[in-house]
Amino acid sequence: AEGSGGAMGGSASLIPRDLLGEYQELTFLSKQEILLAYKRFSELLPKEERESAFSARVPKSHILTLPELRANPFQHRICHVFSTSETGDDSMSFEDFLDMLSVFSDSATSDIKSHYAFRIFDFDDDGALDRKDLEQLVNCLTGQGEESQLSSAEMEQLIQNILEESDIDKDGTINLSEFQHVVSRSPDFASSFKIVL
């Protein structure tokens, strides 16, 4: 059966029509984008698993080889938030992958984007952005290099400023609605929160 699938012209024809329609309804992606996503996802799998890409899970280490994620300072958090893996290994199924691309697409609403951004920035997954989350957030954004890292005084000042701006109920953390409020005042947020394959 060597090369038996070759005549079909690649794997794009492997998405059954009804599923394709369902994916279009459930995501912000166009038919073309879904087919491209499927192609990119299959290419992350070993050759012998590509036939069954629908039921396969791609390990996080492979997902992180995508150039779109390789450069993203939140790559590990993104895998974690979108993975439905029950073992907690942050691997992704095709549907996880589509969900991720959908949220990061140009067509996703600002509300959806900010909801997921909040989850990505909530490093300890406790439903609020506290000082520790904010510190990790700043470190991700400024890079881990010696010369770019903030001194503890600068970090303290910055977190103080962020909380003063955002923490409306003054409980020392930023909850989802406070976060969405901040984001709503930042016009470039939605356009910067994207991954295009």
Side-chain angles (χ1 to χ4, degrees), residues 20-195:
L20 193 55
E22 200 176 307
Y23 289 150
Q24 277 175 268
E25 276 172 43
L26 295 174
T27 66
F28 293 100
L29 304 169
S30 69
K31 184 177 157 186
Q32 280 68 30
E33 289 171 319
I34 293 167
L35 292 172
L36 177 62
Y38 187 72
K39 181 175 180 288
R40 293 292 298 273
F41 184 80
S42 318
E43 285 165 0
L44 295 171
L45 288 164
K47 283 206 165 52
E48 63 278 5
E49 283 180 43
R50 286 181 192 170
E51 288 296 304
S52 54
F54 281 110
S55 50
R57 296 196 74 86
V58 168
K60 171 179 165 178
S61 56
H62 291 196
I63 298 281
L64 293 179
T65 62
L66 288 167
E68 298 79 12
L69 277 177
R70 207 182 305 150
N72 192 305
F74 302 103
Q75 42 171 245
H76 296 288
R77 289 296 304 161
I78 291 170
C79 287
H80 179 70
V81 165
F82 288 98
S83 168
T84 53
S85 164
E86 287 172 5
T87 61
D89 63 1
D90 294 351
S91 62
M92 283 195 190
S93 66
F94 178 59
E95 295 189 357
D96 294 346
F97 188 65
L98 269 191
D99 276 342
M100 172 182 81
L101 291 175
S102 176
V103 167
F104 281 103
S105 76
D106 271 335
S107 318
T109 63
S110 212
D111 254 12
I112 298 253
K113 283 181 185 287
S114 56
H115 174 81
Y116 278 95
F118 181 82
R119 289 184 54 195
I120 289 165
F121 299 159
D122 180 13
F123 288 88
D124 55 10
D125 297 315
D126 68 351
L129 305 186
D130 55 24
R131 302 183 83 94
K132 223 176 163 55
D133 291 324
L134 294 173
E135 199 167 309
Q136 278 184 270
L137 172 57
V138 172
N139 280 335
C140 277
L141 289 171
T142 53
Q144 303 293 326
E146 285 300 303
E147 66 289 341
S148 57
Q149 251 182 339
L150 301 180
S151 70
S152 50
E154 291 170 320
M155 177 69 85
E156 185 52 43
Q157 187 56 57
L158 184 56
I159 287 175
Q160 210 43 55
N161 294 352
I162 295 174
L163 286 171
E164 270 166 34
E165 280 286 289
S166 325
D167 179 19
I168 298 163
D169 61 14
K170 299 295 174 223
D171 66 349
T173 67
I174 300 169
N175 61 33
L176 177 60
S177 62
E178 289 169 339
F179 180 77
Q180 289 186 311
H181 178 70
V182 174
V183 166
S184 68
R185 294 180 311 184
S186 136
D188 54 348
F189 170 76
S191 58
S192 60
F193 196 74
K194 70 176 181 189
I195 292 176

